[in-house]
Amino acid sequence: MLEFFNNLRIRYSEFMVGRYGMDKLNWAILVAAIVVHIIYRILGFFFIRVISWILIILLIVRFISRDHGSRTKENIWWEGKSKEITAAIASADRSWRDRKTTLYFNCEGCKTKLSVPRGKGKVRIVCPNCGQEMFKNT
Ligand SMILES: [Zn+2]
């Protein structure tokens, strides 16, 4: 039995030579596939199951791929996107937590997120990014 598992391990190692394996994007696809499958188990819609299978197939194709350049580019794209998503969640969390003491809004010129303390009446604000002047009731 031990020999069987040792042979399996050796065969797996031989199979994986030159193949891409796991990266952050593959882990994200795996988690997404599991979440989508749980949603399918709850709701029972067939198309949700199809989505989970597409994610699993995508995961396997990326895992056994020998095209390291393309997979690395995809992973770099994903790492950028996941940082944007994490920053957006942190920003939304901060805005919600400080909503009673701080007024958050986007610049009318460049859409940069700005903040001013509440309870100061009508204030003049100059965007530090683009210089746009705005007036806000705090
Ligand atoms: Zn601006």
Side-chain angles (χ1 to χ4, degrees):
M1 197 66 176
L2 192 65
E3 193 181 345
F4 171 78
F5 283 112
N6 275 337
N7 285 339
L8 201 65
R9 196 168 51 90
I10 290 165
R11 283 185 153 184
Y12 175 77
S13 296
E14 286 169 357
F15 176 75
M16 286 305 291
V17 169
R19 296 189 188 270
Y20 188 69
M22 287 301 272
D23 62 3
K24 284 184 180 176
L25 177 55
N26 268 354
W27 279 109
I29 292 169
L30 179 62
V31 169
I34 292 168
V35 169
V36 169
H37 188 76
I38 290 168
I39 293 169
Y40 160 71
R41 299 292 290 195
I42 293 166
L43 300 177
F45 296 123
F46 182 72
F47 76 93
I48 297 175
R49 188 175 196 182
V50 171
I51 293 169
S52 108
W53 277 108
I54 289 169
L55 288 170
I56 293 292
I57 291 165
L58 182 64
L59 172 66
I60 293 168
V61 167
R62 290 192 83 251
F63 188 80
I64 65 173
S65 170
R66 293 181 191 273
D67 184 359
H68 288 240
S70 299
R71 301 296 83 80
T72 303
K73 273 185 197 163
E74 293 161 2
N75 192 50
I76 289 168
W77 170 83
W78 167 250
E79 285 185 358
K81 278 289 162 204
S82 66
K83 275 182 191 161
E84 281 176 29
I85 294 166
T86 306
I89 290 169
S91 174
D93 180 51
R94 192 173 343 99
S95 300
W96 178 253
R97 198 182 54 232
D98 300 342
R99 69 191 180 281
K100 289 179 180 167
T101 58
T102 309
L103 175 67
Y104 289 92
F105 59 96
N106 291 328
C107 169
E108 294 161 6
C110 66
K111 304 294 176 205
T112 298
K113 192 170 185 179
L114 302 171
S115 64
V116 289
R118 286 190 181 275
K120 304 288 181 193
K122 191 170 186 172
V123 294
R124 176 181 159 267
I125 301 141
V126 178
C127 175
N129 191 34
C130 70
Q132 172 83 33
E133 186 182 61
M134 293 158 279
F135 291 92
K136 291 278 176 191
N137 278 321
T138 60

